[in-house]
């Protein structure tokens, strides 16, 4: 295990009707900018609960943060926040609203253009406004981490930057009952693959992190059919919601190496084709596993045995079976696993490889996923 520092300051408020505790978390002195997506919160009672809880508070509403939040939209929110002298940001929605709000919270006190913040990548030490969140979609872990991923549709780019953790996050599983099946499937896949990015490296780094990760992976496998067939199964949804948070709040990566190549390539697929984030990952993870099977073989075997109960005497055959099982699981969620099924092909591959050559990328736990290896991964899943 390598040395590490761990500090996660987000207060998690979890459970039925927990939105009513919102008022206790923000001061009446604050001038709040409340941020929303495209309107789902008006159909499921979340908006009403938030507004009721903030009676007597000073707040301003900003609507329209889209999936894969766009810099143009966020600039408008920052202008509103500056005009109204807001000193607190409350994000109400999924990962896109929360990520976008991390940029808004950084952009209101910032003098320059908001895209500069994204380009700086590390904004952890700069002045930002405090942020609270009400989460309505289990997937990204953004409610309890410092990361945010911002899109620039004009430049067809999508980059992550790191800012401050939310001060608090309210997670009421009842708010997820209105999620479309596709978003649930993408959320399950995103959660599963967040764990894989921090787990599927080499064995023996930390038995504790391994078991913790395998616990989340097994939990997602177990609850997936339940939440997909009945999104109003409260207990399964609550388990899903907490799993998604635990998958990317730093708890499973203490002292171990991490990969993230699948995510980095996935962001390009979204930037170029608008594909939903979780869906890019179900295409790419099997490809990464196939191409990196030499480096990752021992861990793939451990994962296959502990999560899927697959073992065998023929190492290569067993590894292949495990990768096939992983792809089969993603398809069981109703998601696709090939580029060609999503309107992407050679042209997309060439563009991603061109970008990665230009940026001279080195992803993965061994920094061995460069532009050429990325091409192999993408060709494997065409
Ligand atoms: O905009 P509204 O109307 O609210 O509709 C949203 C949106 O259309 C809808 N939705 C959300 N909650 C709902 C609901 N519909 C019905 N009922 C509800 N309860 O779902 C759609 C998708 O929402 P979005 O926020 O885009 O999804 P998600 O939470 O998956 O976020 C995806 C974004 O997060 C980034 C992704 O790259 C992508 O931009 N990520 C952020 C990470 C982080 N901050 O750590 C890590 C992840 O790996 C990921 O990259
Ligand atoms: Zn993700």
């Amino acid at each position: 295990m390598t040395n590490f520092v761990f500090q996660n300051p987000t207060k998690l408020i979890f459970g039925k009707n927990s939105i009513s505790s919102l008022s206790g978390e923000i001061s009446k002195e604050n001038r709040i900018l409340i941020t929303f997506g495209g309107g789902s919160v008006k159909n499921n009672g979340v908006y009403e609960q938030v507004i009721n809880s903030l009676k007597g508070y000073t707040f301003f509403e900003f609507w329209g943060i889209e999936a894969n939040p766009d810099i143009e939209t966020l600039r408008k929110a920052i202008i509103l926040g500056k005009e109204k002298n807001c000193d607190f940001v409350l994000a109400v929605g999924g990962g896109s609203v929360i990520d976008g709000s991390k940029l808004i919270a950084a952009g209101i006190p910032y003098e320059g253009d908001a895209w500069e913040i994204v380009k700086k990548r590390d904004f952890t030490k700069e002045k930002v406004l405090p942020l609270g969140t009400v989460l309505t979609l289990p997937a990204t872990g953004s409610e309890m981490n410092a990361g945010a991923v911002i899109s620039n549709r004009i430049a067809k780019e999508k980059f992550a930057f790191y800012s401050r953790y939310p001060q608090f996050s309210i997670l009421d599983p009842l708010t997820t009952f209105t999620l479309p099946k596709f978003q649930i499937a993408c959320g399950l896949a995103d959660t599963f693959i967040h764990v894989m990015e921090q787990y599927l490296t080499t064995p023996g780094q930390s038995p504790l992190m391994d078991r913790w990760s395998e616990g989340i992976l097994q939990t997602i496998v177990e609850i997936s059919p339940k939440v997909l067939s009945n999104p109003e199964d409260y207990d399964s949804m609550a388990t899903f919601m907490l799993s998604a948070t635990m998958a990317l709040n730093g708890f499973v990566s203490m002292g171990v190496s991490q990969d993230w190549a699948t995510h980095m390539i996935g962001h390009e697929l979204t930037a170029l084709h608008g594909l939903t984030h979780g869906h890019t990952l179900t295409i790419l993870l099997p490809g990464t596993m196939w191409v990196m099977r030499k480096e990752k073989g021992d861990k793939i075997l451990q994962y296959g045995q502990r999560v899927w109960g697959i073992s065998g005497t023929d190492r290569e055959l067993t590894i292949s079976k495990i990768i096939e099982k992983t792809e089969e699981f993603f398809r069981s969620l109703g998601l696709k696993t090939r580029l060609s099924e999503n309107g992407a092909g050679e042209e997309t591959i060439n563009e991603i490889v061109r970008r990665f050559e230009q940026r001279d990328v080195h992803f993965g736990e061994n920094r061995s996923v460069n532009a050429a290896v990325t091409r192999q991964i993408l060709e494997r899943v065409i």
Side-chain angles (χ1 to χ4, degrees):
M1 197 188 292
T2 54
N3 294 2
F4 66 90
V5 174
F6 177 80
Q7 185 177 24
N8 188 322
T10 303
K11 178 175 180 181
L12 209 59
I13 303 167
F14 193 99
K16 270 181 198 164
N17 306 318
S18 46
I19 297 175
S20 58
S21 54
L22 192 51
S23 53
E25 300 302 322
I26 310 177
S27 158
K28 279 217 163 136
E29 307 297 309
N30 283 127
R31 296 173 63 81
I32 312 165
L33 181 66
I34 314 184
T35 51
F36 301 98
S40 68
V41 294
K42 283 223 166 143
N43 302 327
N44 58 13
V46 170
Y47 173 72
E48 258 182 356
Q49 290 180 62
V50 168
I51 299 308
N52 285 342
S53 185
L54 292 179
K55 277 212 172 97
Y57 283 68
T58 308
F59 61 81
F60 309 90
E61 299 180 15
F62 182 84
W63 288 86
I65 300 179
E66 58 281 268
N68 308 310
D70 193 75
I71 187 69
E72 286 286 325
T73 308
L74 303 174
R75 283 188 184 118
K76 290 179 193 151
I78 290 168
I79 290 171
L80 178 68
K82 282 182 194 272
E83 261 172 29
K84 303 292 182 191
N85 283 320
C86 292
D87 55 13
F88 194 100
V89 180
L90 177 66
V92 182
S96 293
V97 175
I98 298 177
D99 280 11
S101 301
K102 284 179 184 167
L103 187 67
I104 296 166
I108 292 173
Y110 186 68
E111 298 280 309
D113 177 59
W115 191 245
E116 290 169 19
I117 299 172
V118 180
K119 288 301 221 177
K120 278 185 194 211
R121 284 188 60 85
D122 182 354
F123 215 70
T124 52
K125 307 264 177 343
E126 312 290 328
K127 183 172 163 30
V128 306
L129 298 186
L131 169 74
T133 88
V134 176
L135 179 71
T136 63
L137 196 173
T140 62
S142 188
E143 65 278 9
M144 203 178 182
N145 69 40
V149 193
I150 308 299
S151 292
N152 183 331
R153 281 170 176 73
I154 292 173
K156 291 199 171 198
E157 288 178 337
K158 187 179 189 207
F159 291 114
F161 83 103
Y162 296 87
S163 176
R164 225 58 60 75
Y165 288 75
Q167 191 170 294
F168 66 84
S169 282
I170 298 181
L171 278 62
D172 179 347
L174 291 172
T175 65
T176 67
F177 284 8
T178 49
L179 277 169
K181 244 187 198 160
F182 176 71
Q183 290 298 340
I184 297 176
C186 288
L188 289 164
D190 198 19
T191 303
F192 191 90
I193 295 165
H194 288 158
V195 176
M196 292 293 264
E197 298 273 26
Q198 300 162 87
Y199 166 82
L200 204 72
T201 54
T202 50
Q205 297 185 53
S206 164
L208 177 62
M209 292 300 119
D210 280 1
R211 294 284 186 194
W212 206 321
S213 290
E214 288 152 3
I216 298 175
L217 296 173
Q218 283 176 307
T219 303
I220 292 300
V221 170
E222 196 178 305
I223 59 159
S224 289
K226 297 183 191 166
V227 294
L228 283 169
S229 62
N230 179 13
E232 301 202 7
D233 171 350
Y234 179 85
D235 288 330
S236 297
M237 264 302 184
T239 301
F240 172 27
M241 211 170 193
L242 190 53
S243 299
T245 303
M246 293 303 292
L248 199 50
N249 62 0
F251 275 76
V252 301
S253 60
M254 294 180 214
V256 298
S257 60
Q258 301 181 41
D259 181 342
W260 296 105
T262 296
H263 264 71
M264 292 304 121
I265 307 170
H267 290 338
E268 299 303 321
L269 274 185
T270 301
L272 292 167
H273 286 277
L275 286 187
T276 301
H277 172 66
H279 209 186
T280 65
L281 308 176
T282 59
I283 300 169
L284 293 165
L285 182 71
T288 305
M289 291 172 81
W290 283 114
V291 172
M292 304 309 290
R293 60 188 284 161
K294 276 222 162 57
E295 280 184 25
K296 292 179 180 290
D298 291 341
K299 198 63 177 278
I300 294 178
L301 288 168
Q302 178 181 319
Y303 152 75
Q305 204 257 315
R306 294 191 185 174
V307 175
W308 297 110
I310 298 174
S311 55
T313 46
D314 184 328
R315 178 184 167 93
E316 294 309 317
L317 185 69
T318 310
I319 290 176
S320 298
K321 274 190 192 160
I322 294 165
I323 302 173
E324 279 159 10
K325 182 72 197 173
T326 305
E327 183 172 348
E328 195 185 304
F329 170 60
F330 296 149
R331 295 195 85 90
S332 79
L333 302 177
L335 298 174
K336 304 279 194 287
T337 54
R338 298 292 152 147
L339 288 174
S340 50
E341 294 173 299
N342 291 280
E346 282 298 335
E347 212 175 301
T348 307
I349 296 178
N350 290 338
E351 175 58 16
I352 295 176
V353 171
R354 189 193 66 74
R355 288 177 172 200
F356 283 4
E357 273 168 359
Q358 197 178 35
R359 291 180 209 153
D360 190 23
V361 306
H362 292 87
F363 301 132
E365 65 274 20
N366 298 316
R367 301 280 152 251
S368 53
V369 182
N370 56 14
V373 175
T374 299
R375 178 180 290 284
Q376 290 175 37
I377 292 172
L378 288 162
E379 299 283 2
R380 192 73 183 67
V381 295
I382 201 153

PDB file of all heavy atoms in Angstrom, residues 204-226:
ATOM      1  N   GLY A 204      -2.838  -7.432  -4.699  1.00  0.00           N
ATOM      2  CA  GLY A 204      -1.872  -7.402  -3.605  1.00  0.00           C
ATOM      3  C   GLY A 204      -1.513  -6.019  -3.110  1.00  0.00           C
ATOM      4  O   GLY A 204      -0.626  -5.864  -2.274  1.00  0.00           O
ATOM      5  N   GLN A 205      -2.167  -4.979  -3.615  1.00  0.00           N
ATOM      6  CA  GLN A 205      -1.825  -3.628  -3.133  1.00  0.00           C
ATOM      7  C   GLN A 205      -2.494  -3.337  -1.795  1.00  0.00           C
ATOM      8  O   GLN A 205      -1.910  -2.742  -0.917  1.00  0.00           O
ATOM      9  CB  GLN A 205      -2.239  -2.572  -4.154  1.00  0.00           C
ATOM     10  CG  GLN A 205      -1.526  -2.696  -5.478  1.00  0.00           C
ATOM     11  CD  GLN A 205      -1.892  -1.547  -6.405  1.00  0.00           C
ATOM     12  OE1 GLN A 205      -1.788  -0.384  -6.053  1.00  0.00           O
ATOM     13  NE2 GLN A 205      -2.354  -1.864  -7.594  1.00  0.00           N
ATOM     14  N   SER A 206      -3.743  -3.729  -1.674  1.00  0.00           N
ATOM     15  CA  SER A 206      -4.471  -3.562  -0.413  1.00  0.00           C
ATOM     16  C   SER A 206      -5.647  -4.545  -0.383  1.00  0.00           C
ATOM     17  O   SER A 206      -6.633  -4.344  -1.084  1.00  0.00           O
ATOM     18  CB  SER A 206      -5.004  -2.137  -0.261  1.00  0.00           C
ATOM     19  OG  SER A 206      -5.990  -2.117   0.761  1.00  0.00           O
ATOM     20  N   PRO A 207      -5.533  -5.591   0.425  1.00  0.00           N
ATOM     21  CA  PRO A 207      -6.644  -6.550   0.525  1.00  0.00           C
ATOM     22  C   PRO A 207      -7.935  -5.868   0.955  1.00  0.00           C
ATOM     23  O   PRO A 207      -9.026  -6.240   0.511  1.00  0.00           O
ATOM     24  CB  PRO A 207      -6.189  -7.532   1.612  1.00  0.00           C
ATOM     25  CG  PRO A 207      -4.735  -7.335   1.758  1.00  0.00           C
ATOM     26  CD  PRO A 207      -4.406  -5.940   1.291  1.00  0.00           C
ATOM     27  N   LEU A 208      -7.813  -4.819   1.762  1.00  0.00           N
ATOM     28  CA  LEU A 208      -9.012  -4.126   2.244  1.00  0.00           C
ATOM     29  C   LEU A 208      -9.708  -3.380   1.108  1.00  0.00           C
ATOM     30  O   LEU A 208     -10.927  -3.486   0.926  1.00  0.00           O
ATOM     31  CB  LEU A 208      -8.638  -3.150   3.373  1.00  0.00           C
ATOM     32  CG  LEU A 208      -9.793  -2.325   3.914  1.00  0.00           C
ATOM     33  CD1 LEU A 208     -10.870  -3.218   4.536  1.00  0.00           C
ATOM     34  CD2 LEU A 208      -9.300  -1.314   4.943  1.00  0.00           C
ATOM     35  N   MET A 209      -8.924  -2.624   0.312  1.00  0.00           N
ATOM     36  CA  MET A 209      -9.534  -1.907  -0.823  1.00  0.00           C
ATOM     37  C   MET A 209     -10.138  -2.902  -1.810  1.00  0.00           C
ATOM     38  O   MET A 209     -11.206  -2.661  -2.375  1.00  0.00           O
ATOM     39  CB  MET A 209      -8.492  -1.028  -1.524  1.00  0.00           C
ATOM     40  CG  MET A 209      -8.003   0.146  -0.726  1.00  0.00           C
ATOM     41  SD  MET A 209      -9.321   1.295  -0.261  1.00  0.00           S
ATOM     42  CE  MET A 209      -9.227   1.220   1.510  1.00  0.00           C
ATOM     43  N   ASP A 210      -9.440  -4.036  -2.010  1.00  0.00           N
ATOM     44  CA  ASP A 210      -9.964  -5.048  -2.936  1.00  0.00           C
ATOM     45  C   ASP A 210     -11.337  -5.538  -2.492  1.00  0.00           C
ATOM     46  O   ASP A 210     -12.282  -5.584  -3.279  1.00  0.00           O
ATOM     47  CB  ASP A 210      -9.009  -6.253  -3.015  1.00  0.00           C
ATOM     48  CG  ASP A 210      -7.834  -5.972  -3.933  1.00  0.00           C
ATOM     49  OD1 ASP A 210      -7.766  -4.855  -4.479  1.00  0.00           O
ATOM     50  OD2 ASP A 210      -6.996  -6.874  -4.098  1.00  0.00           O
ATOM     51  N   ARG A 211     -11.456  -5.903  -1.224  1.00  0.00           N
ATOM     52  CA  ARG A 211     -12.725  -6.452  -0.730  1.00  0.00           C
ATOM     53  C   ARG A 211     -13.829  -5.396  -0.762  1.00  0.00           C
ATOM     54  O   ARG A 211     -14.977  -5.675  -1.038  1.00  0.00           O
ATOM     55  CB  ARG A 211     -12.557  -6.962   0.709  1.00  0.00           C
ATOM     56  CG  ARG A 211     -11.624  -8.146   0.819  1.00  0.00           C
ATOM     57  CD  ARG A 211     -12.295  -9.412   0.356  1.00  0.00           C
ATOM     58  NE  ARG A 211     -11.452 -10.572   0.600  1.00  0.00           N
ATOM     59  CZ  ARG A 211     -11.674 -11.752   0.059  1.00  0.00           C
ATOM     60  NH1 ARG A 211     -12.694 -11.952  -0.744  1.00  0.00           N
ATOM     61  NH2 ARG A 211     -10.872 -12.753   0.324  1.00  0.00           N
ATOM     62  N   TRP A 212     -13.430  -4.165  -0.461  1.00  0.00           N
ATOM     63  CA  TRP A 212     -14.406  -3.077  -0.469  1.00  0.00           C
ATOM     64  C   TRP A 212     -14.950  -2.882  -1.898  1.00  0.00           C
ATOM     65  O   TRP A 212     -16.155  -2.788  -2.128  1.00  0.00           O
ATOM     66  CB  TRP A 212     -13.723  -1.802   0.034  1.00  0.00           C
ATOM     67  CG  TRP A 212     -14.630  -0.808   0.661  1.00  0.00           C
ATOM     68  CD1 TRP A 212     -15.888  -0.479   0.253  1.00  0.00           C
ATOM     69  CD2 TRP A 212     -14.353  -0.012   1.814  1.00  0.00           C
ATOM     70  NE1 TRP A 212     -16.405   0.494   1.072  1.00  0.00           N
ATOM     71  CE2 TRP A 212     -15.497   0.793   2.032  1.00  0.00           C
ATOM     72  CE3 TRP A 212     -13.254   0.127   2.662  1.00  0.00           C
ATOM     73  CZ2 TRP A 212     -15.559   1.717   3.081  1.00  0.00           C
ATOM     74  CZ3 TRP A 212     -13.328   1.043   3.706  1.00  0.00           C
ATOM     75  CH2 TRP A 212     -14.478   1.820   3.913  1.00  0.00           C
ATOM     76  N   SER A 213     -14.019  -2.849  -2.859  1.00  0.00           N
ATOM     77  CA  SER A 213     -14.420  -2.698  -4.263  1.00  0.00           C
ATOM     78  C   SER A 213     -15.274  -3.868  -4.718  1.00  0.00           C
ATOM     79  O   SER A 213     -16.315  -3.684  -5.359  1.00  0.00           O
ATOM     80  CB  SER A 213     -13.176  -2.621  -5.165  1.00  0.00           C
ATOM     81  OG  SER A 213     -12.516  -1.410  -4.955  1.00  0.00           O
ATOM     82  N   GLU A 214     -14.811  -5.063  -4.412  1.00  0.00           N
ATOM     83  CA  GLU A 214     -15.575  -6.254  -4.844  1.00  0.00           C
ATOM     84  C   GLU A 214     -16.973  -6.236  -4.214  1.00  0.00           C
ATOM     85  O   GLU A 214     -17.947  -6.665  -4.844  1.00  0.00           O
ATOM     86  CB  GLU A 214     -14.818  -7.524  -4.442  1.00  0.00           C
ATOM     87  CG  GLU A 214     -13.567  -7.754  -5.297  1.00  0.00           C
ATOM     88  CD  GLU A 214     -12.458  -8.531  -4.577  1.00  0.00           C
ATOM     89  OE1 GLU A 214     -12.680  -8.955  -3.420  1.00  0.00           O
ATOM     90  OE2 GLU A 214     -11.371  -8.692  -5.161  1.00  0.00           O
ATOM     91  N   GLY A 215     -17.073  -5.710  -3.019  1.00  0.00           N
ATOM     92  CA  GLY A 215     -18.381  -5.602  -2.359  1.00  0.00           C
ATOM     93  C   GLY A 215     -19.327  -4.695  -3.137  1.00  0.00           C
ATOM     94  O   GLY A 215     -20.505  -5.011  -3.336  1.00  0.00           O
ATOM     95  N   ILE A 216     -18.797  -3.576  -3.620  1.00  0.00           N
ATOM     96  CA  ILE A 216     -19.651  -2.658  -4.400  1.00  0.00           C
ATOM     97  C   ILE A 216     -20.008  -3.301  -5.746  1.00  0.00           C
ATOM     98  O   ILE A 216     -21.155  -3.254  -6.183  1.00  0.00           O
ATOM     99  CB  ILE A 216     -18.963  -1.285  -4.609  1.00  0.00           C
ATOM    100  CG1 ILE A 216     -18.703  -0.604  -3.264  1.00  0.00           C
ATOM    101  CG2 ILE A 216     -19.825  -0.380  -5.498  1.00  0.00           C
ATOM    102  CD1 ILE A 216     -17.930   0.705  -3.345  1.00  0.00           C
ATOM    103  N   LEU A 217     -19.027  -3.929  -6.390  1.00  0.00           N
ATOM    104  CA  LEU A 217     -19.301  -4.571  -7.692  1.00  0.00           C
ATOM    105  C   LEU A 217     -20.385  -5.642  -7.534  1.00  0.00           C
ATOM    106  O   LEU A 217     -21.346  -5.699  -8.314  1.00  0.00           O
ATOM    107  CB  LEU A 217     -18.026  -5.204  -8.257  1.00  0.00           C
ATOM    108  CG  LEU A 217     -16.881  -4.232  -8.611  1.00  0.00           C
ATOM    109  CD1 LEU A 217     -15.623  -5.002  -9.006  1.00  0.00           C
ATOM    110  CD2 LEU A 217     -17.285  -3.287  -9.742  1.00  0.00           C
ATOM    111  N   GLN A 218     -20.251  -6.476  -6.510  1.00  0.00           N
ATOM    112  CA  GLN A 218     -21.247  -7.540  -6.295  1.00  0.00           C
ATOM    113  C   GLN A 218     -22.616  -6.956  -5.981  1.00  0.00           C
ATOM    114  O   GLN A 218     -23.643  -7.473  -6.413  1.00  0.00           O
ATOM    115  CB  GLN A 218     -20.803  -8.445  -5.150  1.00  0.00           C
ATOM    116  CG  GLN A 218     -19.711  -9.405  -5.558  1.00  0.00           C
ATOM    117  CD  GLN A 218     -19.218 -10.238  -4.386  1.00  0.00           C
ATOM    118  OE1 GLN A 218     -18.840  -9.689  -3.352  1.00  0.00           O
ATOM    119  NE2 GLN A 218     -19.223 -11.543  -4.541  1.00  0.00           N
ATOM    120  N   THR A 219     -22.608  -5.875  -5.239  1.00  0.00           N
ATOM    121  CA  THR A 219     -23.881  -5.234  -4.892  1.00  0.00           C
ATOM    122  C   THR A 219     -24.577  -4.722  -6.146  1.00  0.00           C
ATOM    123  O   THR A 219     -25.789  -4.890  -6.319  1.00  0.00           O
ATOM    124  CB  THR A 219     -23.636  -4.071  -3.899  1.00  0.00           C
ATOM    125  OG1 THR A 219     -22.961  -4.597  -2.754  1.00  0.00           O
ATOM    126  CG2 THR A 219     -24.933  -3.430  -3.457  1.00  0.00           C
ATOM    127  N   ILE A 220     -23.822  -4.098  -7.036  1.00  0.00           N
ATOM    128  CA  ILE A 220     -24.415  -3.582  -8.284  1.00  0.00           C
ATOM    129  C   ILE A 220     -24.954  -4.734  -9.128  1.00  0.00           C
ATOM    130  O   ILE A 220     -26.069  -4.650  -9.677  1.00  0.00           O
ATOM    131  CB  ILE A 220     -23.381  -2.733  -9.071  1.00  0.00           C
ATOM    132  CG1 ILE A 220     -23.063  -1.435  -8.315  1.00  0.00           C
ATOM    133  CG2 ILE A 220     -23.880  -2.400 -10.475  1.00  0.00           C
ATOM    134  CD1 ILE A 220     -24.238  -0.514  -8.068  1.00  0.00           C
ATOM    135  N   VAL A 221     -24.210  -5.820  -9.217  1.00  0.00           N
ATOM    136  CA  VAL A 221     -24.689  -6.982  -9.982  1.00  0.00           C
ATOM    137  C   VAL A 221     -26.004  -7.498  -9.367  1.00  0.00           C
ATOM    138  O   VAL A 221     -26.962  -7.797 -10.083  1.00  0.00           O
ATOM    139  CB  VAL A 221     -23.614  -8.103  -9.982  1.00  0.00           C
ATOM    140  CG1 VAL A 221     -24.182  -9.399 -10.560  1.00  0.00           C
ATOM    141  CG2 VAL A 221     -22.387  -7.651 -10.772  1.00  0.00           C
ATOM    142  N   GLU A 222     -26.050  -7.532  -8.052  1.00  0.00           N
ATOM    143  CA  GLU A 222     -27.230  -8.065  -7.362  1.00  0.00           C
ATOM    144  C   GLU A 222     -28.470  -7.180  -7.527  1.00  0.00           C
ATOM    145  O   GLU A 222     -29.566  -7.664  -7.772  1.00  0.00           O
ATOM    146  CB  GLU A 222     -26.872  -8.196  -5.879  1.00  0.00           C
ATOM    147  CG  GLU A 222     -27.779  -9.057  -5.060  1.00  0.00           C
ATOM    148  CD  GLU A 222     -27.260  -9.136  -3.628  1.00  0.00           C
ATOM    149  OE1 GLU A 222     -26.083  -9.506  -3.407  1.00  0.00           O
ATOM    150  OE2 GLU A 222     -28.044  -8.805  -2.716  1.00  0.00           O
ATOM    151  N   ILE A 223     -28.288  -5.886  -7.416  1.00  0.00           N
ATOM    152  CA  ILE A 223     -29.475  -5.017  -7.430  1.00  0.00           C
ATOM    153  C   ILE A 223     -29.899  -4.572  -8.838  1.00  0.00           C
ATOM    154  O   ILE A 223     -31.028  -4.117  -9.014  1.00  0.00           O
ATOM    155  CB  ILE A 223     -29.290  -3.752  -6.552  1.00  0.00           C
ATOM    156  CG1 ILE A 223     -28.100  -2.948  -7.048  1.00  0.00           C
ATOM    157  CG2 ILE A 223     -29.205  -4.103  -5.077  1.00  0.00           C
ATOM    158  CD1 ILE A 223     -28.134  -1.523  -6.621  1.00  0.00           C
ATOM    159  N   SER A 224     -29.008  -4.690  -9.817  1.00  0.00           N
ATOM    160  CA  SER A 224     -29.335  -4.188 -11.164  1.00  0.00           C
ATOM    161  C   SER A 224     -30.684  -4.680 -11.687  1.00  0.00           C
ATOM    162  O   SER A 224     -31.522  -3.858 -12.097  1.00  0.00           O
ATOM    163  CB  SER A 224     -28.237  -4.556 -12.163  1.00  0.00           C
ATOM    164  OG  SER A 224     -27.115  -3.798 -11.895  1.00  0.00           O
ATOM    165  N   PRO A 225     -30.936  -5.995 -11.678  1.00  0.00           N
ATOM    166  CA  PRO A 225     -32.241  -6.431 -12.214  1.00  0.00           C
ATOM    167  C   PRO A 225     -33.403  -5.878 -11.406  1.00  0.00           C
ATOM    168  O   PRO A 225     -34.471  -5.597 -11.963  1.00  0.00           O
ATOM    169  CB  PRO A 225     -32.185  -7.961 -12.119  1.00  0.00           C
ATOM    170  CG  PRO A 225     -30.919  -8.327 -11.435  1.00  0.00           C
ATOM    171  CD  PRO A 225     -30.083  -7.111 -11.266  1.00  0.00           C
ATOM    172  N   LYS A 226     -33.186  -5.694 -10.101  1.00  0.00           N
ATOM    173  CA  LYS A 226     -34.278  -5.184  -9.250  1.00  0.00           C
ATOM    174  C   LYS A 226     -34.610  -3.730  -9.572  1.00  0.00           C
ATOM    175  O   LYS A 226     -35.780  -3.378  -9.743  1.00  0.00           O
ATOM    176  CB  LYS A 226     -33.902  -5.304  -7.767  1.00  0.00           C
ATOM    177  CG  LYS A 226     -33.710  -6.735  -7.312  1.00  0.00           C
ATOM    178  CD  LYS A 226     -33.426  -6.776  -5.834  1.00  0.00           C
ATOM    179  CE  LYS A 226     -32.978  -8.170  -5.422  1.00  0.00           C
ATOM    180  NZ  LYS A 226     -32.377  -8.200  -4.096  1.00  0.00           N
TER     181      LYS A 226
END
